[in-house]
Amino acid sequence: MEPPSSRTRLVVAETNLRGVRGLTVDAFGCLLRGGPSILPNALRTIVGKQTEKLSVRSPEDLWRDSFRKYIRANPFLSFREVHRKSIQEFFKALGIATDVDGCIDATFDDYRNSTTYPEVSAVLGDLEKEVPVAVVSNMDTTALLRALQRNGLTFTFIITSDEEQRYKPDPSLFQRAVRYLGLPAANVLHVGSSYAEDIIGASLTGMPSLLMQRPGAPEEPRGEAKGTVQSLEQVRDFIRSSWSGS
């Protein structure tokens, strides 16, 4: 069975499909370097100048715990407000007084100026000839679009927490992506770099998933993922093998 055109929007009966016929991918950690899972440079610089105030916990762990706390807050907080509360809590824990708004602005500048991993542009070009692709991201829409455009990446479908008013792993983001692609969830592969956000969210939607574990990135549990990959090239190979292996 030949792979469907990336332009198709026809909803095909599930019984006629074999293997992966659509792809959703997280932006930061999969396509773009950096992202909110990593201690922002602005915070790292300030902490580096005040090492005597460090607690037993590492700044990286403190940041991740604070960020996860507020991204899961109910009611929903905007991406910028999540950063405000996370940064305030981060510096309060370390006993540091500084310009929070300046740190937020610097962090968002880093997001907008992120660069892609080396293989991304070429491999996406291959993938988009074979399967429709959508981005599903816990990111401010404007910052994400700026980063993608800066790197020459365009997508027909981009689903963000900013627009959905939900953060992954809420299944609504994945369900919207599945509707946009016009395919059964079981035939849409999701690739993301966070077990808690991507793998769980895809599983709740009935989508297969791969965990992107870039070299040097913090180790994540595999959980419900079909496996782990270190590059988009391995994602492409997995998709192609699903056709012949079905």
Side-chain angles (χ1 to χ4, degrees):
M1 184 175 180
E2 291 297 317
S5 165
S6 63
R7 300 297 179 187
T8 184
R9 294 302 317 286
L10 179 65
V11 178
V12 184
E14 188 169 357
T15 55
N16 294 331
L17 290 178
R18 296 293 185 273
V20 176
R21 298 295 162 172
L23 173 67
T24 62
V25 60
D26 189 20
F28 286 86
C30 290
L31 309 178
L32 299 162
R33 301 176 190 273
S37 65
I38 299 172
L39 179 66
N41 290 327
L43 276 62
R44 189 183 303 277
T45 299
I46 293 171
V47 169
K49 295 176 180 178
Q50 304 190 45
T51 55
E52 73 281 357
K53 294 186 178 181
L54 292 183
S55 62
V56 176
R57 298 172 66 197
S58 73
E60 289 79 10
D61 288 343
L62 178 59
W63 167 253
R64 280 192 292 269
D65 289 347
S66 296
F67 190 84
R68 286 170 180 166
K69 172 182 174 181
Y70 290 109
I71 209 169
R72 295 169 180 168
N74 188 13
F76 176 87
L77 298 174
S78 71
F79 200 62
R80 189 175 184 90
E81 190 61 21
V82 168
H83 279 70
R84 179 180 305 282
K85 290 183 177 296
S86 300
I87 291 173
Q88 287 173 336
E89 183 170 292
F90 177 86
F91 284 127
K92 181 179 180 181
L94 296 177
I96 297 173
T98 192
D99 176 15
V100 171
D101 284 317
C103 289
I104 297 173
D105 291 340
T107 299
F108 272 59
D109 282 343
D110 284 346
Y111 295 152
R112 286 187 284 266
N113 293 314
S114 295
T115 58
T116 60
Y117 291 96
E119 86 285 0
V120 166
S121 181
V123 178
L124 273 179
D126 288 344
L127 284 169
E128 289 179 326
K129 295 173 184 176
E130 300 175 335
V131 296
V133 182
V135 170
V136 180
S137 177
N138 278 355
M139 176 57 66
D140 173 84
T141 304
T142 302
L144 175 59
L145 289 176
R146 177 66 184 89
L148 294 174
Q149 291 166 358
R150 181 178 181 274
N151 289 281
L153 301 181
T154 58
F155 297 89
T156 303
F157 304 117
I158 297 176
I159 298 94
T160 67
S161 54
D162 188 30
E163 295 178 329
E164 189 69 18
Q165 295 289 285
R166 298 286 190 278
Y167 288 107
K168 296 183 293 183
D170 192 289
S172 65
L173 287 88
F174 299 91
Q175 291 165 349
R176 180 181 290 213
V178 168
R179 290 197 303 272
Y180 284 171
L181 296 182
L183 292 161
N187 297 100
V188 180
L189 175 70
H190 180 70
V191 181
S193 59
S194 168
Y195 168 74
E197 297 169 4
D198 295 293
I199 306 308
I200 290 180
S203 176
L204 290 171
T205 315
M207 300 166 65
S209 61
L210 290 174
L211 180 67
M212 179 68 78
Q213 189 71 60
R214 291 284 184 179
E219 200 71 28
E220 290 275 339
R222 172 176 160 177
E224 300 290 331
K226 291 288 186 181
T228 59
V229 291
Q230 294 186 321
S231 70
L232 275 190
E233 292 162 330
Q234 293 177 333
V235 174
R236 179 186 59 196
D237 293 345
F238 179 91
I239 291 173
R240 290 174 175 173
S241 69
S242 76
W243 304 327
S244 60
S246 300

